[in-house]
Amino acid sequence: KLFILLGGLLVEVLRYNGLHFLHSAAVKNNGISLLISGDGGSGKTTASLSLVNEGFKYVSDDSIFFKEESAEIIVYPLYRAFNLDRDLSNRFPNLIKERIRRIPEGVKLSVDISEIYPDSFIPFMRPNAVIFPKITYLQNSEVHPLSQVQVYDKLLRQTVLAVDREIAKSQLLSLETLVKQVVGYELLSGKDIYEI
């Protein structure tokens, strides 16, 4: 509870320095700098951990700050550890250690993935694409391109606007810059992804 209180205070203070919070994972590989954004339980950590397992580097699995620098958006981590529950840790056998096996149901454990995947953490990146995963009951997954308006709407739902009007205006303008910088897709995560 103390972390939540201090985290909220930190987020508010950083806004005055142009850093804005976004509920999103961030990974990068071979010129692809990808945000994976969505509500809790939508598959951000699963997708980002799967990509790190395949050689991607990561900034964060869940929460980032974005900042406009020289007319483009750069993202930074809120924290570098992944938050894993028992189900997710069981899907990645190379992560299973005694402390992860003992995770109580409904609890997440903070794990420094860079200990398992050396040199996988990067402190920032310039995103060029964003994916919004959504768990569905489809047998096979589907990917749909999104318009800039749809991307803006979905990203707006993953941030908390500042109380101060001028800071909120700056935040919305930076979000607009991010939307113009990326291409967006919705990933309907079917049973094939979950089973694999």
Side-chain angles (χ1 to χ4, degrees):
K1 292 182 181 183
L2 180 61
F3 177 77
I4 293 170
L5 179 63
L6 292 177
L9 182 60
L10 175 66
V11 167
E12 190 60 32
V13 168
L14 290 174
R15 284 182 174 149
Y16 289 88
N17 293 306
L19 284 162
H20 306 290
F21 173 81
L22 187 63
H23 194 210
S24 179
V27 294
K28 178 179 182 174
N29 192 29
N30 295 329
I32 299 170
S33 297
L34 181 63
L35 296 180
I36 305 167
S37 192
D39 296 333
S42 65
K44 293 182 305 299
T45 300
T46 302
S48 55
L49 188 53
S50 297
L51 292 170
V52 170
N53 193 47
E54 295 297 321
F56 276 68
K57 298 192 179 297
Y58 75 95
V59 174
S60 176
D61 85 311
D62 186 65
S63 300
I64 59 170
F65 289 108
F66 64 98
K67 182 175 186 174
E68 190 164 349
E69 298 178 10
S70 302
E72 60 183 20
I73 299 298
I74 307 296
V75 300
Y76 302 91
L78 175 57
Y79 47 81
R80 74 185 270 171
F82 276 57
N83 294 307
L84 307 177
D85 61 17
R86 185 188 310 165
D87 182 52
L88 186 57
S89 66
N90 287 336
R91 295 183 177 282
F92 294 89
N94 54 337
L95 299 178
I96 296 178
K97 297 179 179 177
E98 282 307 310
R99 64 186 180 135
I100 295 177
R101 282 193 191 124
R102 293 190 302 255
I103 299 174
E105 194 64 40
V107 173
K108 291 189 175 186
L109 181 67
S110 183
V111 177
D112 185 353
I113 296 299
S114 65
E115 293 175 2
I116 298 156
Y117 301 101
D119 302 320
S120 59
F121 174 76
I122 54 175
F124 63 90
M125 70 175 211
R126 179 197 179 276
N128 54 26
V130 61
I131 290 180
F132 299 94
K134 180 180 178 183
I135 296 172
T136 69
Y137 295 103
L138 298 173
Q139 192 63 28
N140 295 314
S141 299
E142 297 177 3
V143 176
H144 301 280
L146 298 172
S147 70
Q148 286 186 336
V149 171
Q150 291 170 310
V151 171
Y152 188 88
D153 179 58
K154 288 180 176 291
L155 286 175
L156 189 57
R157 295 175 195 199
Q158 300 307 320
T159 191
V160 178
L161 288 176
V163 176
D164 182 282
R165 286 183 82 178
E166 290 305 310
I167 299 296
K169 184 178 178 180
S170 169
Q171 183 178 1
L172 290 172
L173 289 172
S174 292
L175 193 63
E176 183 179 329
T177 301
L178 174 59
V179 168
K180 291 177 181 175
Q181 180 176 302
V182 299
V183 292
Y185 301 92
E186 182 176 51
L187 169 63
L188 301 178
S189 304
K191 292 180 180 179
D192 56 336
I193 287 182
Y194 187 77
E195 290 170 359
I196 292 169

